[in-house]
Amino acid sequence: MQKLKDSELRYRRLFEAAQDGILILDAKTGMIEDVNPYLIKMLGYSREEFVKKKLWEVGAFKDIESSKDAFEVLQEKEYIRYEDLPLRTQTGQLVQVEFVSNVYAVGDEKVIQCNIRDITDRKKAEAEILQLNADLERRVAERTVELVYANHVKDEFLANMSHELRTPLNGILGFAEALTEGVYGDLLNRQSYAVQMIGSSGRHLLELINDILDISKIEAGKFDFRLEEVDVNLACHASMLFIKQSANKKNITVEYTISEAATMLMADPRRLKQVLINLLNNAVKFTPNKGKVTLEVQEQAEEGLMRFSVTDTGIGIRPEDLPKLFQPFMQLDGGLSRQYEGSGLGLALAKKMVELHGGRIEVQSEPGKGSRFSFTLPWSKSAQSYRSSDPAETVSETYDINLGRLSKVREKILLAEDNETNVLVTRDYLESHGYQVFIARDGKEVLSKAEEVVPDIILMDIHMPDLNGIEATHRLRADPRFATLPIIALTAFAMPGDRERCLEAGMNEYLSKPVKLKDLERMIVRLLNSPA
C-alpha cells in the first residue's frame, strides 16, 4: 500500500513540475479530470475553469472546429499528434501548440493524457528563418543580376579601352613605320633616329597596354587561353631572340640548356613565350654590364613536371621584398628615383599565366649576387613526339615583300576605316607600294563603294558608325559578286572571341591594331596571289 502511495506521489510531483501542459480527460465523457500548473500558466485559465468541464466547454478549445468530433477521434486512436494547433488564452491571444494524446487504462477505466507544448516562439523563429531565406534568395538574385551587369560593363570597358588605346597607337606606329621606309621621302640621320625613337616608345607603350588588358581579362575570366602541343626547344629559342639586342648592348652572356627528354609540352604557345620573355627581359634589365643570364629547362619525370629556370648575376632582391614580387603594380624600385623602367605588371601576369597552366612559379635571390626565377608546368613523357633538328629555321621567318609585285597591276583596295589618322597612314603606305586605295568611312559606305569600284580586296574595320564591319561582311557575302572577295578584318578591340566572330562572318584574315604595315602588305600579297 505504501508503494502505491509513493508511486502516486512521484507521479504527482512529475505532473506538477512538467514543463509541458498536461490535461487528463475521461475517455468516455471528455470530462477534464486534472490539469497541471504549467498549462494553467500557459493559457491563463484558473484550475476551476478546466476541471469538471468537458474539453469543448473550455474557452481555450472553443476555436477548434468540431471539438466534439475531435474528441471522438481522441477516443478511437491510442496516439494522436497535431503539429500546429491554435489555442486561445484567457486574454484572447492565440497560442500555437504541439498537441499529443495517449489513451491508457487506469484500473477499469480509460483516460486520455494530452501533452500540450507551446511552440509559438519556435513557429515565429521558423517564420523568421523562412523570411530570411526568402530575403537571402532575393538578395542573391539581385546580386547575381548586379554581377552579370557588372561583368557586362567590365567587358564593354575592356573592349572600349582596347579600342581607344590601340587606335591612336596604330597611327603613331604606322606613321613611324612609313617614315622609316621612306614613304614620305628620305630622312636625315637625326630625323631617322628620332622616328626610330618614336616607334620604340610606341611599341613600349603597346606592351604596357597589353599587360594591363591581359591582367584585366584574366580577372574578368575573359582571357584567351588555348592548350596545344608545343615544341619546348623552339619556344625557348623564339623567346631568347627577343632579348638578344638588349643583352648585346650590355655585353651580357646568355646561355641556354635543355635536357633531352624536355621536348614537347601541352601549353598555350603564345602565353608560354610571354612568360619566358618576361623573365628573360627582367634578368637582362637587372643584370649589370658583362653579366650572365641562363635559361635552363629540365624535366621532372617522377613529379610529372617540366621546370623552366631563368638565372642571372644581377642586383638580387632583399628577402623582405620577395613577397611583393608577384603583386600587380608593385615595383620594388618605386618612387621618383626609379632606375629601372616598367609597369610592375610583368611578374604578376607571368604568375597568373603559369597558374592558368596548372603550374607554379617561385624565386630564390640574394642581394648583390643575382636571382633565379623558376616555374613548373604539368608534363608527361607521352607528350614527346619530335624535336626540330634546326630550331633556327623555324624561329626566324623571312619573307620577301616584293614577292608577286612584278605581276601586280594596280590592285584596288577598299579601306573601311573611320579614324582619319589611320586612313591617312594606311592609304599613303599602300599607295607607295603601288595599290589603288579607296576609302569608306562607315559600314553603309562600304557596301556602296564595293559596288562602285569592285575592289580586289577589302580591309574592314570592325567598329564603324551606322553599320559595323561584321554586319557589312555578312551583307557582302550574300551578294554573289563579293562571295569570294578577300576581306581582312582590322580591329582595335582585340578581345577574346573577336577573331572567331570575324572569321565566322566570312572574313579571310584578322589583324589586331596596332597593325604593322609591312605585315599587312604581306598578307594582302598572299591573299591576292592565292587561288580563288
Side-chain angles (χ1 to χ4, degrees):
M1 190 69 176
Q2 185 62 38
K3 286 185 179 181
L4 180 59
K5 288 182 180 181
D6 290 343
S7 176
E8 289 178 350
L9 179 61
R10 187 162 48 250
Y11 171 79
R12 171 54 58 178
R13 286 174 178 172
L14 291 173
F15 181 78
E16 298 286 343
Q19 295 301 299
D20 283 340
I22 301 176
L23 272 178
I24 304 298
L25 302 176
D26 184 307
K28 290 183 178 179
T29 64
M31 192 76 71
I32 297 174
E33 293 185 350
D34 207 350
V35 59
N36 74 339
Y38 192 87
L39 186 61
I40 292 172
K41 181 180 177 182
M42 180 196 304
L43 299 177
Y45 295 93
S46 66
R47 182 178 178 81
E48 290 73 21
E49 290 178 282
F50 279 106
V51 178
K52 302 306 178 183
K53 291 188 178 181
K54 294 186 177 179
L55 180 68
W56 51 90
E57 293 176 344
V58 177
F61 298 92
K62 285 183 178 179
D63 287 334
I64 300 176
E65 188 175 350
S66 302
S67 296
K68 291 183 180 180
D69 295 338
F71 173 68
E72 291 176 1
V73 174
L74 296 180
Q75 288 176 306
E76 293 173 1
K77 297 187 177 180
E78 291 188 357
Y79 175 83
I80 294 177
R81 183 170 181 267
Y82 294 103
E83 287 280 351
D84 189 2
L85 191 68
L87 298 182
R88 189 172 296 277
T89 67
Q90 200 274 339
T91 59
Q93 180 182 356
L94 281 178
V95 177
Q96 301 298 117
V97 301
E98 182 181 70
F99 186 96
V100 178
S101 72
N102 290 277
V103 179
Y104 59 92
V106 177
D108 296 332
E109 298 181 352
K110 283 188 176 181
V111 298
I112 300 173
Q113 178 176 318
C114 302
N115 289 64
I116 301 170
R117 175 173 296 174
D118 185 350
I119 59 171
T120 303
D121 290 341
R122 191 182 83 189
K123 286 295 179 180
K124 183 179 178 182
E126 289 174 355
E128 289 175 352
I129 291 171
L130 289 174
Q131 185 60 49
L132 285 172
N133 287 338
D135 290 343
L136 181 59
E137 289 178 3
R138 176 180 53 79
R139 286 197 295 270
V140 167
E142 290 173 353
R143 183 59 177 157
T144 301
V145 171
E146 290 173 1
L147 289 173
V148 169
Y149 176 72
N151 283 334
H152 176 69
V153 170
K154 185 182 287 186
D155 291 347
E156 285 191 346
F157 173 77
L158 290 176
N160 288 332
M161 282 300 96
S162 177
H163 181 267
E164 294 301 321
L165 294 171
R166 291 174 186 272
T167 296
L169 263 180
N170 190 67
I172 293 169
L173 293 176
F175 272 117
E177 186 178 355
L179 284 166
T180 300
E181 289 199 18
V183 171
Y184 298 103
D186 295 334
L187 301 176
L188 299 175
N189 286 340
R190 292 180 64 191
Q191 292 171 331
S192 178
Y193 177 76
V195 171
Q196 288 177 21
M197 289 301 99
I198 292 172
S200 176
S201 297
R203 287 188 292 274
H204 179 63
L205 180 58
L206 177 61
E207 290 175 5
L208 300 183
I209 290 170
N210 285 338
D211 283 351
I212 293 171
L213 290 175
D214 280 346
I215 284 283
S216 301
K217 290 174 189 175
I218 291 174
E219 297 296 339
K222 301 293 181 180
F223 195 63
D224 189 15
F225 184 77
R226 299 177 183 176
L227 293 177
E228 60 184 73
E229 199 172 56
V230 177
D231 187 312
V232 178
N233 197 31
L234 293 184
C236 290
H237 275 280
S239 302
M240 289 190 295
L241 285 178
F242 280 85
I243 65 159
K244 183 178 180 180
Q245 186 176 0
S246 56
N248 288 341
K249 283 182 180 179
K250 299 175 71 174
N251 292 317
I252 291 174
T253 302
V254 179
E255 293 185 355
Y256 166 55
T257 60
I258 183 170
S259 65
E260 286 190 14
T263 55
M264 306 304 295
L265 176 72
M266 289 302 295
D268 184 316
R270 178 185 168 196
R271 305 307 179 184
L272 175 60
K273 284 185 280 188
Q274 198 170 347
V275 173
L276 288 170
I277 291 168
N278 183 286
L279 297 181
L280 289 166
N281 264 332
N282 278 352
V284 171
K285 181 166 66 174
F286 294 107
T287 298
N289 291 346
K290 298 183 180 180
K292 182 179 177 181
V293 171
T294 303
L295 170 61
E296 183 181 9
V297 184
Q298 292 287 333
E299 84 287 353
Q300 297 176 198
E302 291 185 4
E303 294 91 345
L305 300 171
M306 188 176 293
R307 177 176 291 273
F308 298 78
S309 300
V310 176
T311 308
D312 64 63
T313 57
I315 61 175
I317 304 162
R318 295 178 301 178
E320 61 267 28
D321 287 332
L322 290 175
K324 307 174 188 175
L325 277 178
F326 299 103
Q327 297 178 25
F329 304 104
M330 180 62 67
Q331 295 168 304
L332 304 185
D333 181 38
L336 297 176
S337 60
R338 288 182 56 215
Q339 180 182 352
Y340 304 97
E341 64 178 17
S343 64
L345 286 172
L347 287 177
L349 193 56
K351 180 176 184 290
K352 290 183 179 292
M353 288 182 180
V354 168
E355 289 173 349
L356 282 173
H357 280 85
R360 56 177 299 183
I361 190 168
E362 58 188 26
V363 58
Q364 297 89 36
S365 186
E366 187 175 345
K369 293 188 178 180
S371 304
R372 180 185 180 90
F373 284 82
S374 302
F375 66 93
T376 54
L377 300 181
W379 172 81
S380 65
K381 287 186 177 181
S382 62
Q384 301 178 70
S385 61
Y386 69 92
R387 177 189 290 270
S388 172
S389 58
D390 186 3
E393 288 181 14
T394 309
V395 171
S396 59
E397 179 187 350
T398 60
Y399 193 102
D400 182 4
I401 64 171
N402 293 310
L403 182 64
R405 186 156 300 153
L406 293 176
S407 62
K408 176 155 51 102
V409 185
R410 300 278 292 171
E411 284 98 338
K412 292 180 287 186
I413 296 177
L414 177 56
L415 173 61
E417 175 65 69
D418 64 321
N419 182 276
E420 289 303 319
T421 301
N422 290 335
V423 167
L424 182 60
V425 66
T426 308
R427 183 191 63 197
D428 290 351
Y429 186 88
L430 294 176
E431 285 182 348
S432 75
H433 284 67
Y435 296 94
Q436 299 179 72
V437 181
F438 301 87
I439 309 299
R441 288 177 171 79
D442 61 59
K444 290 183 178 178
E445 193 176 359
V446 170
L447 303 180
S448 59
K449 282 282 187 180
E451 291 188 1
E452 178 185 340
V453 303
V454 189
D456 297 296
I457 192 168
I458 295 178
L459 308 182
M460 184 77 76
D461 187 25
I462 301 304
H463 186 69
M464 292 186 294
D466 295 330
L467 192 68
N468 64 47
I470 298 286
E471 184 57 34
T473 301
H474 279 302
R475 297 192 187 184
L476 286 170
R477 291 307 190 208
D479 188 328
R481 293 173 297 173
F482 308 116
T484 59
L485 177 69
I487 300 176
I488 300 175
L490 302 177
T491 177
F493 281 101
M495 297 299 289
D498 284 348
R499 177 184 179 84
E500 289 72 18
R501 282 191 291 273
C502 291
L503 298 181
E504 287 173 5
M507 300 183 191
N508 301 80
E509 288 288 357
Y510 170 97
L511 286 174
S512 62
K513 297 176 182 177
V515 173
K516 287 187 177 180
L517 295 174
K518 187 179 293 186
D519 291 344
L520 174 61
E521 208 269 337
R522 288 173 177 172
M523 186 176 286
I524 291 171
V525 169
R526 177 168 59 80
L527 289 176
L528 289 176
N529 286 274
S530 297

